Amino acid sequence: MQSSHNDFLSTETQTELINALGTNHFFNVLVDALSAVICFGSSSAICYNKHKAPELLFSNLTELEDKIFYARFLDGAYVASPAYQGFMNDLDDGLYAWSELMPEGFKQSQMYAAYYQESGIEDLAYFFVNCGDLGFIQFSIGRHSPSSVFTEAELLSLQTVSSVLIALVTKHWQFAEQQQGQNVVPLSSMVSERVNYLLNHFEPELLTARERQIAKLVITGHSSQSAADNLHISPGTERVHRAKLYAKLKLRSNSELFSYFLNQLRCVD
């Protein structure tokens, strides 16, 4: 039986969470506490830092999601994640529904089809926690088909506990860094640098600056309309530039562009 958010704030739960601060089982305790507020099927925590590769702090994923997560997401595909883009755009601390982070048309993107849809993910909710020089923590919970998306009432319940959760995660990461006791899994060596370099230097000998801008937006999940809005050009002009870049790269679709990007990523030194 699902409990209320008051169980998350109960003295017993707070004591368990405080005792777990700085330890390797903090996120397990946090997930158990949060399950008293809302039903979800998977969870993860990733630390992003613009100056080094991301780190996987914790994961409790479904078997199918776990395979795809390690095979694709952590090896560079994360760049198209709406949550990662939120981090890159310096969003404030807080709770974010997956839908509000998605660029327009994201569910028609190759990233959505290749990772989220194939993993059976139905919905996600994210807590963003900015820990300053220690990095930016993205703690997420997910639901999988045939479960329903998070309702407004459920998101409100999560919002009610978000300030406490964010404070706990911040303090935990400070303690963990001090004690150097946190077991983290670094992503592939220099992945972050490779991804950012390739996005900003995508086929410079073949594409114009505008075509590279459009390629970057398409790869990160933007629709034609969203890309046009970001570049302050008309959708028709965007489509012309997109057609030219596809012709130059001998591609036919967004899906092929995304695959092309991942193949190029593996070749970057």
Side-chain angles (χ1 to χ4, degrees), residues 56-227:
L56 178 65
L57 310 182
F58 166 83
S59 66
N60 180 25
L61 309 175
T62 66
E63 183 177 355
L64 177 59
E65 186 182 6
D66 187 76
K67 291 179 181 177
I68 298 175
F69 187 75
Y70 281 93
R72 301 177 191 172
F73 190 85
L74 292 186
D75 201 30
Y78 70 86
V79 70
S81 160
Y84 178 75
Q85 292 301 312
F87 152 67
M88 293 298 290
N89 290 323
D90 299 314
L91 290 185
D92 293 334
D93 287 4
L95 172 71
Y96 291 88
W98 192 26
S99 58
E100 66 180 305
L101 295 174
M102 288 182 189
E104 182 185 351
F106 181 75
K107 286 196 172 182
Q108 285 73 54
S109 72
Q110 176 63 10
M111 175 59 176
Y112 179 80
Y115 176 67
Y116 296 104
Q117 191 171 46
E118 192 168 335
S119 300
I121 297 174
E122 190 67 27
D123 201 7
L124 292 161
Y126 296 89
F127 293 91
F128 284 2
V129 186
N130 190 339
C131 298
D133 292 339
L134 297 180
F136 184 100
I137 309 296
Q138 169 203 299
F139 176 69
S140 66
I141 59 173
R143 279 185 175 165
H144 303 76
S145 180
S147 298
S148 61
V149 299
F150 295 116
T151 66
E152 289 187 14
E154 288 172 326
L155 291 172
L156 181 59
S157 293
L158 291 176
Q159 185 66 56
T160 303
V161 303
S162 63
S163 59
V164 174
L165 185 149
I166 289 169
L168 286 165
V169 171
T170 301
K171 187 58 64 177
H172 160 69
W173 194 232
Q174 291 171 347
F175 286 168
E177 285 289 294
Q178 290 171 2
Q179 298 168 13
Q180 297 182 347
Q182 179 71 30
N183 290 331
V184 298
V185 180
L187 304 192
S188 299
S189 177
M190 306 298 285
V191 165
S192 181
E193 288 81 359
R194 295 204 317 266
V195 167
N196 290 325
Y197 177 85
L198 186 56
L199 280 174
N200 293 314
H201 302 83
F202 192 67
E203 295 292 10
E205 295 181 0
L206 293 176
L207 305 179
T208 66
R210 179 65 86 193
E211 288 163 357
R212 290 199 302 275
Q213 290 175 325
I214 290 173
K216 180 176 181 179
L217 290 167
V218 172
I219 290 165
T220 54
H222 288 261
S223 66
S224 180
Q225 181 65 60
S226 180

